[in-house]
Amino acid sequence: MPATTCSIRFPRLLLTGAAGGLGRELRSRLKPHCDVLRLSDIADLGTAAPGEELAITPLEDRAAVLNLLEGVSAVVHLGGVSVETPWDPILQANIVGTYNLYEAARKQGVRRVVFASSNHVTGFYRQNEVIDADDPMRPDGLYGVSKAFGESLARFYFDRYGIETVALRIGSSFTAPRDRRMLATFMSYDDLERLVVASLTAPVVGYSVIYGMSDNRTKWWDNTKAAHIGYVPQDSSEPFRAEVEARQQTLDFNDPAVLYQGGPFVRTGPFE
Amino acid sequence: MPATTCSIRFPRLLLTGAAGGLGRELRSRLKPHCDVLRLSDIADLGTAAPGEELAITPLEDRAAVLNLLEGVSAVVHLGGVSVETPWDPILQANIVGTYNLYEAARKQGVRRVVFASSNHVTGFYRQNEVIDADDPMRPDGLYGVSKAFGESLARFYFDRYGIETVALRIGSSFTAPRDRRMLATFMSYDDLERLVVASLTAPVVGYSVIYGMSDNRTKWWDNTKAAHIGYVPQDSSEPFRAEVEARQQTLDFNDPAVLYQGGPFVRTGPFE
Amino acid sequence: MPATTCSIRFPRLLLTGAAGGLGRELRSRLKPHCDVLRLSDIADLGTAAPGEELAITPLEDRAAVLNLLEGVSAVVHLGGVSVETPWDPILQANIVGTYNLYEAARKQGVRRVVFASSNHVTGFYRQNEVIDADDPMRPDGLYGVSKAFGESLARFYFDRYGIETVALRIGSSFTAPRDRRMLATFMSYDDLERLVVASLTAPVVGYSVIYGMSDNRTKWWDNTKAAHIGYVPQDSSEPFRAEVEARQQTLDFNDPAVLYQGGPFVRTGPFE
Amino acid sequence: MPATTCSIRFPRLLLTGAAGGLGRELRSRLKPHCDVLRLSDIADLGTAAPGEELAITPLEDRAAVLNLLEGVSAVVHLGGVSVETPWDPILQANIVGTYNLYEAARKQGVRRVVFASSNHVTGFYRQNEVIDADDPMRPDGLYGVSKAFGESLARFYFDRYGIETVALRIGSSFTAPRDRRMLATFMSYDDLERLVVASLTAPVVGYSVIYGMSDNRTKWWDNTKAAHIGYVPQDSSEPFRAEVEARQQTLDFNDPAVLYQGGPFVRTGPFE
Amino acid sequence: MPATTCSIRFPRLLLTGAAGGLGRELRSRLKPHCDVLRLSDIADLGTAAPGEELAITPLEDRAAVLNLLEGVSAVVHLGGVSVETPWDPILQANIVGTYNLYEAARKQGVRRVVFASSNHVTGFYRQNEVIDADDPMRPDGLYGVSKAFGESLARFYFDRYGIETVALRIGSSFTAPRDRRMLATFMSYDDLERLVVASLTAPVVGYSVIYGMSDNRTKWWDNTKAAHIGYVPQDSSEPFRAEVEARQQTLDFNDPAVLYQGGPFVRTGPFE
Amino acid sequence: MPATTCSIRFPRLLLTGAAGGLGRELRSRLKPHCDVLRLSDIADLGTAAPGEELAITPLEDRAAVLNLLEGVSAVVHLGGVSVETPWDPILQANIVGTYNLYEAARKQGVRRVVFASSNHVTGFYRQNEVIDADDPMRPDGLYGVSKAFGESLARFYFDRYGIETVALRIGSSFTAPRDRRMLATFMSYDDLERLVVASLTAPVVGYSVIYGMSDNRTKWWDNTKAAHIGYVPQDSSEPFRAEVEARQQTLDFNDPAVLYQGGPFVRTGPFE
């Protein structure tokens, strides 16, 4: 059963990255909010359910992306590389790919994008700092830098062309938090759905940035300035705390992954 | 049944604008908090219930207002024009009238005023901005300008004469939100009562400004700096969301009323 | 010799309050910047020099003010009451009068107003505080409240109708500082000219607020956020310091006029 | 039954001030979180329960304090004077004593201190102001000054030696609020426990400051910037409101204890 | 004669983009500060003067850039596209090229980069706003987006690898301001030299951002937070004001180039 | 010849620490501003010149300090330890001593203290950060902690007893800067005099904090919020730059003294 009930209905939504972890979750959850759900990825998307349209589309293929956005009311853009990798795939999927997506939105007249950014655009803040979306970006890797690029690009497309974006700086969206860092960064799938639907249906978003997390007891991110989006998480990492802490009693304070919000990303790479 | 239980009791409260929409609601709700409730308006107030005193008082009548505040412990000032109109009635009721009210408070030794200001003092912020009471005022009409005047005047009467004011920047207080804008601005009557009673009974308020809204999922206003007043809303626009959104599926983004917090006020007038 | 050389020339400038202290100074100083200088006041303006137009115009006369702004390129609005007085003249000249002026600007298509606001909109800050134009207003009297009204109104006319305003929170513009407070608030007439000309000729001002003071050693006001106007004072109260301090060796710290930025205004009135 | 369940377990915790009001509460509540609970005070501590170690230790005795911290995993430092007194006991217990404690932590390799600071480091803010831990300190007495000293010292020991501290600016931790001021400052013992345990077990705290209060309706302190600690109060002063307000219907606004957050502390002393 | 005298001398400086407008100016001005000045560009660099090394190096050629940084003490990175163009050259020179440069710095052990960013990373602020380097970026085109990318990347290379960067958000560095916008954005070549030399020789810069402008009377940018760099401009656009204003008496307020800081960049493109 | 001319004259000024480096400088410079200059220290003060009173007074001697402040109009408090030392002398001179001084001021009715605090209260900020007096204190040693204590104490004596203080966070006041750090922290003796005299003679200072530095090109400290004091430095470290940089071409970035504002203080001690 979907976590959200909402009366706003879109003729055609596009979900990119639909074969990924979050994409598979959102596939069923977004369907009730639209007549047609177009799904794209470079990986296999299985069989189209009723009301679904499937497209295998490499984001770096400009023409293919232009076609992908034809007739679309709004985009949920999860596509691209989602972990720290060598530069070339990040360049192609996240930089060239996001440029292609916004250009296609401009040419096809799409008015709103929900852009999966990442907490890794600010991963070099310490775990004892509470930040908000106006604090300067401090990416923790090339992946984080590419998401910072995407946010800058989205801001430009709003200021120049009026295409609205909600940039979601997603924490850790899994079935459960896996370590003590995720007690702060965890976002349940139901809350992910709440966040995406609120971002799609809020009347006016301009260019807005919001951190994606559940109502966790431990918080690094202050979403006060994004309260206009109407995202109110209902879940929490708290039920998982005892188990997580039991598994990870001690921490190595010489490990930057312990000190910084980005966790292990801050010490991944360089790859050559 | 009143929404608040409170042990602070006033000998005599004055409620101006008692025949208006909010005044009629507060008439019964304030009675339990005082021995005598004095009610004033220029419209008919019906028959005085036990413990009520009625007065037909045009706010622009300086002498009448002076009399009105005699023997009063505190004032809830709802009186005046509450929508965008031509200048002259706003000038008389809201500018001259509010001056008369504060002068009367000074002369009669009244120590606290709960002043019904309005969200329209900041109506020219966009609906994707979250503001607080320290952000510069951006009124959306002559009505909003008159409320900004009232706030400046109140601040002066506190700094100079020690008369305390809580300025309530009221959103939309009705039985239910009427459109998608009101999903953010809605304040239930019970929450209105909570807000007014908290403003009357907080030990020290100095000059404070607070936005009047329920605990809505969509929020444009951050009341953190007014948390000392002790207003914690219990209601929400959320139960009305589905119906409101169903009625108003689409929005015209060329309409300033859609983009700005003030809604239709931002395009009302000029009247000549 | 005028203090400014500037190549921007206006077909017709209007200077209100032209018979007052600052108006008489600006009368000759603004002439080089326009083909026609229209001057208005309720007091005698003497004889029109070449290129001058004179008009006796009570600001509270709506029709007269509408006529006054006909054919005008920009307005320097000094008119109105400039000290703390009883309410009625302030209401008429500063509140009704400023409304009439902006309405006339709207109807006559005037695009920019340089509005003489006052440091008294923030006179209840202490003399050991440094503030800027974004700090909440704390007027020190009814005069200050009326200027706060003017600023709110000007902001609205920009947000709604695109009429630009520079609000000048003028300190003490005289030939010399008269007391120790004016070591902070002094603005020479040459600097006044520089400020007004910069406000008239800056390409884009939107709604801007700037404090009017010379480059005094003692500063209460931080104009950083108004640096886009291009006002750089050249004079200072410093040459007058020794004499002023010699005359006023000691201060009475029980006198609010000593503690607050507004000086004696903070204890003038009430008048009844 | 303890209010917290937590899987992080310390080999040996030290609780100073264990014979005081809060110390007696925490004695049983901290035991489940450690193998050994070492307790110190200058007053009688009774008999050691299983897993307890008792030490009578004057904080001003440098050598004794050095011994006290031997083998300790973390310290909860409640010891010292906790009310406004003449200077000498404050100097010895709170200034010399806190220095001794941090020096001992440095020499013994202790990595974290939970330091009982006080709301009295900011007691000279008004009761109608909402502040956070970054606002400048305004202590309301010598006691408050000594706690400000402790916070500065703790910050230095983190910046220089990496010893982490959470400074708890504790409000009023009793079984119930005793007056209207405590409707804002009240912290239940269960919430005290939650706060101390969260401070001990948060993965990274660096140097952090947090106000200690329950989830009271009236709030003077904004803990947003300390949300990384994971303290979420569960109690409130609200159930006590009616009784407290009934007992204290009126307030004397000439009494600084009514106006300032520090309450009666702001007018205690001087003692000679 | 160079504008700066400085006793800090580098064994080998690298200047990229040395054949461009600013590069040609800096070529002679940086020579006195180093034993060897290595110059690179894709355009012809003429003949090497004594102490110069020339290299034709496309920034998108990873291996060539790696070689280019061998043996270098510090880099002044002007290379790349410096105006709004179609995406592909920006992608290659400014995104891939800047990545190549920082990777080469990492591998070659270069400790400091002076990176020519641009005011166009914030070009969508209005000309009546004064901003500083902590305000969110609002790029005015793909060029501005690419410079925002460079800044994010530089921040990451400092946080992760300790490579220091001063990002210079250069205004308009020419022999003279060409239009009224440049009265605010103008930076003389002597001031450019002062800025670059200060950025190279300041003891500690971490990751710093500074706007590059002369001491113009009209200011949009507040460099207070970068005062540690020690850049104090000595020139000004003021001597050119009269001529510029005479040439451009009137402005078209319907032209976004007049309203926004980025000037004509805000309406350049899209190119397809 | 003194650097300041000022018409405000004090009957009796007290200068503590008069035998120290800064005290010897100020001894002759303060004399023109008072009828009697009382000088105290624990070291020899030589012979009293006309209008001088000499007193050997250990600051930790409460009774002696009480006597010292008898009949005094204002105090310039330089006395105490001024470098990082073991705890005990800091405790006695700077903590006990400063308490004794303020208690004596309270009992003797002295209304203003110019307190020599130190840049070492914020020495753990990095050299690439620009801070102001509202940023949280980060002392770099026990000396810095003791000055932080002095500031808290002074703030309390103003809030509670109305004794005004200007806390001077003095940089490096010598005849010339001695190393590259002092290019930022240098304050000439003439500027020291200007700062002390401005602090003594500003009409209202309440509790104010100001950094003591000359008009150096390199700046770490923003005194905007203290502009009401009227301190405008006239000197600069710039004339010494070439020589200082020549002597100290290279820096060891592994040395915390190079990275932090406090310089070598950040790595002095511990002493046992």
Side-chain angles (χ1 to χ4, degrees), chain C residues 126-128 130 180 217-220 222 242 245-246 249 251 253 258-259, chain F residues 6-9 158 198 201 203-207 224-225 227-228 230 232:
Chain C
R126 283 175 56 102
Q127 294 195 8
N128 57 315
V130 176
R180 289 177 69 182
R217 206 186 83 192
T218 307
K219 281 194 179 65
W220 297 338
D222 175 10
E245 290 182 345
Q249 280 276 326
L251 298 164
F253 289 101
V258 166
L259 295 181
Chain F
C6 173
S7 305
I8 306 294
R9 196 173 170 83
F158 174 66
T201 60
V204 180
V205 297
Y207 172 74
T224 302
K225 287 172 185 158
H228 59 89
V232 180

Side-chain angles (χ1 to χ4, degrees), chain E residues 74-78 101-102 111-118 133 150-151 154-155 158 162-170 192 194-212 223 225-231, chain F residues 128:
Chain E
V75 181
V76 178
H77 180 47
L78 307 184
L101 188 106
Y102 275 93
R111 304 300 301 161
R112 187 174 296 185
V113 177
V114 177
F115 169 56
S117 182
S118 167
E151 293 195 7
R155 173 103 217 194
F158 174 66
I163 300 171
E164 292 189 300
T165 289
V166 182
L168 314 180
R169 292 187 180 168
I170 296 174
L192 170 68
R194 287 181 188 102
L195 176 57
V196 169
V197 171
S199 299
L200 284 168
T201 61
V204 181
V205 298
Y207 172 73
S208 295
V209 175
I210 187 167
Y211 280 91
N223 272 335
K225 287 172 185 159
H228 59 88
I229 295 171
Y231 167 59
Chain F
N128 57 315

Side-chain angles (χ1 to χ4, degrees), chain C residues 13-88:
Chain C
L13 283 182
L14 168 64
L15 174 67
T16 72
L22 303 191
R24 288 191 305 269
E25 279 298 322
L26 287 176
R27 184 171 177 171
S28 58
R29 293 166 182 270
L30 289 181
K31 190 65 204 57
H33 299 283
C34 55
D35 298 331
V36 177
L37 181 63
R38 185 175 292 170
L39 302 159
S40 80
D41 207 297
I42 52 173
D44 183 47
L45 288 160
T47 312
E52 286 185 349
E53 298 174 349
L54 309 187
I56 299 300
T57 314
L59 292 166
E60 55 269 38
D61 180 337
R62 198 177 306 182
V65 172
L66 182 60
N67 285 339
L68 186 66
L69 269 82
E70 190 180 2
V72 158
S73 323
V75 180
V76 178
H77 180 46
L78 306 183
V81 170
S82 64
V83 292
E84 187 67 4
T85 69
W87 168 244
D88 288 328

Side-chain angles (χ1 to χ4, degrees), chain A residues 112 133-134 155 158-159 164-166 202-209 223-230, chain B residues 119 121-140 169 181 184-185 211 213 217-223 256 258-263 266, chain C residues 134 155 159, chain E residues 124-126 129 135-136 138:
Chain A
R112 186 173 296 183
D134 284 351
R155 173 104 216 193
F158 174 66
D159 281 339
E164 293 190 297
T165 289
V166 181
V204 181
V205 298
Y207 172 73
S208 296
V209 175
N223 272 336
T224 302
K225 288 171 185 159
H228 59 90
I229 295 171
Chain B
N119 76 85
V121 300
T122 50
F124 256 120
Y125 283 93
R126 282 174 58 101
Q127 294 195 10
N128 58 315
E129 294 180 287
V130 176
I131 60 174
D132 70 24
D134 284 352
D135 285 300
M137 290 190 271
R138 302 185 70 169
D140 59 19
R169 293 187 180 167
R181 174 179 170 269
T185 63
Y211 281 91
M213 56 181 168
R217 207 184 84 191
T218 306
K219 281 194 179 65
W220 298 338
W221 308 318
D222 175 10
N223 272 333
V258 166
L259 295 180
Y260 294 100
Q261 296 191 0
V266 306
Chain C
D134 284 351
R155 173 106 217 192
D159 280 339
Chain E
F124 256 118
Y125 284 93
R126 282 175 57 102
E129 292 180 287
D135 285 301
R138 301 184 71 169

